[in-house]
Amino acid sequence: MPVNPALTALWPAPHASEAVDATVHVPGSKSVTNRALVLAALASEPGWLRRPLRSRDTLLMAGALRAMGVGIEETVSSSSSGAGGSDGAGEAWRILPAGLRGPATVDVGNAGTVMRFLPPVAALADGPIRFDGDPRSYERPLTGVIDALRVLGARIDDDGRGALPLTVHGGGALDGGPVEIDASSSSQFVSALLLSGPRFNQGVEVRHTGSFLPSMPHIRMTVDMLRAVGAQVDTPESGGEPNVWRVTPGALLGRDLTIEPDLSNAQPFLAAALVTGGRVLIPDWPTRTTQPGDRLREIFTEMGGSCELTDYGLVLTGSGAIHGIDVDLSDVGELTPGIAAVAALADSPSTLRGVAHLRLHETDRLAALTKEINELGGDVTESADGLHIRPCRLHGGIFHTYDDHRMATAGAIIGLAVEGVQIENVATTAKTLPDFPDLWTGMLGASGV
């Protein structure tokens, strides 16, 4: 995906001099798109993905599956746009499953879903599949997936690192069966094994042995999507044992799936309404979803906004005041940077808890948020599992992103209320939210700000 070189330098975050009033069409969910790609690649018949997210992470996933022999045909009929930009309504991908094969090389970039979801797929391929990625990807935890696959019968060469780069020597099939893992550092370890589980000879039984399991909504998303393509899944919520998920072996159906808007990527735009005392509409907000971003309705209401879910979408209206919050974000850790940005502008202190695992994300998000907000005059301290944020009068300065898309959008939120904020490498938002700078300035332009 081409990147404007100017966006990799310093981007002046637009300052809002009045309330925002805009409609923003948010592109499709990265989490849903990448899970749907894996399930469609493993299906016994072709399927369609409509309105998929086209971003760095999803293109890496599609490219990896193509390298292993899966056909992915892209079609575009027409697209519609609102004040926030194109919603990509006319794009569709036809997925043509094929015999998975190597040799192939997979570039994971710094995408957790690619580096964790695809080694189990590669174990089903006929031939070696090498995985490599950005330097940061070497530091992200992968031991849970590697060790589990070895127990299930896979052969993996990682030179004892428990991390990238590595090679999975696919044998065309995998025994599967029961396996214990500690998924405390990422719920993606569980999802990775469940997604490919129906194709294992014995299915899979995943038992989480740790005391903490983050991002449970993402596991529920995986289970719901598996069931939608015909898989039989037993879960703790359906009467099974605590911390145990079982997937029965069987064929997966091809589906015609329309991807929901990415609710976590809607966060900065909803935050804009809260920060400026304005109004933002996100069309097509689902009435039922497993996306963690749906919790924004509750969190931003507690912080001073009001939400209304209509037939057309979600409307968030700011009151002109921002309140601090004491909140456990263990299930929705990806929302932490945006909430921290809003909290830095609040009228009372905030405590964000349950997110120690964010130290292992695209960057150490807790350390990065603390450093960058404090360098703008803030008062943020790290705790063992989160952040304490005390409101201060902020000033302009450079907001570093550490190649982390959610750091970039957090800086943009602060820039709405603080003049002179410059975002380093705002182009990193292309990881999950392509064209963010245009969407952001389009939102403000629609408001006449």
Side-chain angles (χ1 to χ4, degrees), residues 360-404:
L360 301 170
H361 274 225
E362 281 80 347
T363 187
D364 179 340
R365 285 180 171 166
L366 300 186
L369 287 164
T370 300
K371 179 178 181 293
E372 298 309 314
I373 295 174
N374 286 350
E375 288 194 354
L376 300 182
D379 185 359
V380 182
T381 56
E382 285 190 59
S383 65
D385 73 337
L387 300 172
H388 298 298
I389 304 170
R390 287 158 289 278
C392 290
R393 184 177 182 83
L394 302 182
H395 55 71
I398 296 174
F399 195 92
H400 299 92
T401 63
Y402 309 89
D403 294 323
D404 185 333

Side-chain angles (χ1 to χ4, degrees), residues 202-214:
Q202 302 173 43
V204 71
E205 177 188 282
V206 181
R207 185 179 299 270
H208 167 59
T209 59
S211 58
F212 171 69
L213 185 58

Side-chain angles (χ1 to χ4, degrees), residues 278-291:
R279 174 186 176 277
V280 167
L281 165 65
I282 308 292
D284 302 319
W285 194 282
T287 55
R288 178 191 175 276
T289 181
T290 51
Q291 288 193 61

Side-chain angles (χ1 to χ4, degrees), residues 151-420:
V151 169
L152 297 173
R155 183 162 70 91
I156 300 175
D157 291 338
D158 66 342
D159 293 331
R161 288 183 300 270
L164 294 172
L166 58 85
T167 298
V168 179
H169 295 273
L174 194 68
D175 289 340
V179 64
E180 295 186 350
I181 63 170
D182 183 349
S184 301
S185 58
S186 177
S187 68
Q188 290 175 353
F189 294 172
V190 175
S191 288
L193 298 172
L194 299 184
L195 286 168
S196 293
R199 289 285 304 273
F200 300 165
N201 294 339
Q202 302 173 43
V204 71
E205 177 188 282
V206 181
R207 185 179 299 270
H208 167 59
T209 59
S211 58
F212 171 69
L213 185 58
S215 303
M216 277 297 298
H218 279 123
I219 295 179
R220 287 192 284 271
M221 176 187 293
T222 297
V223 170
D224 281 3
M225 293 183 69
L226 275 162
R227 288 172 172 164
V229 295
Q232 181 179 329
V233 189
D234 296 324
T235 71
E237 293 86 357
S238 60
E241 296 179 60
N243 292 324
V244 177
W245 293 263
R246 294 184 179 90
V247 180
T248 301
L252 299 178
L253 307 174
R255 279 200 63 192
D256 191 325
L257 175 66
T258 299
I259 305 296
E260 299 174 353
D262 194 310
L263 307 188
S264 295
N265 278 341
Q267 180 183 39
F269 307 102
L270 296 176
L274 188 59
V275 168
T276 68
R279 174 186 176 277
V280 167
L281 165 65
I282 308 292
D284 302 319
W285 194 282
T287 55
R288 178 191 175 276
T289 181
T290 51
Q291 288 193 61
D294 193 46
R295 196 169 162 209
L296 287 167
R297 293 192 286 161
E298 168 197 335
I299 293 170
F300 279 169
T301 296
E302 188 173 343
M303 297 187 81
S306 62
C307 290
E308 181 184 7
L309 188 56
T310 70
D311 290 341
Y312 191 53
L314 179 70
V315 179
L316 189 143
T317 305
S319 63
I322 305 171
H323 308 312
I325 191 171
D326 186 330
V327 61
D328 184 339
L329 299 175
S330 56
D331 274 357
V332 292
E334 65 195 50
L335 303 180
T336 302
I339 294 169
V342 174
L345 304 169
D347 57 16
S348 57
S350 295
T351 298
L352 313 184
R353 294 177 284 105
V355 288
H357 60 289
L358 295 189
R359 294 186 171 99
L360 301 170
H361 274 225
E362 281 80 347
T363 187
D364 179 340
R365 285 180 171 166
L366 300 186
L369 287 164
T370 300
K371 179 178 181 293
E372 298 309 314
I373 295 174
N374 286 350
E375 288 194 354
L376 300 182
D379 185 359
V380 182
T381 56
E382 285 190 59
S383 65
D385 73 337
L387 300 172
H388 298 298
I389 304 170
R390 287 158 289 278
C392 290
R393 184 177 182 83
L394 302 182
H395 55 71
I398 296 174
F399 195 92
H400 299 92
T401 63
Y402 309 89
D403 294 323
D404 185 333
H405 55 132
R406 300 209 191 276
M407 287 296 296
T409 54
I413 292 168
I414 292 174
L416 289 173
V418 180
E419 291 191 71

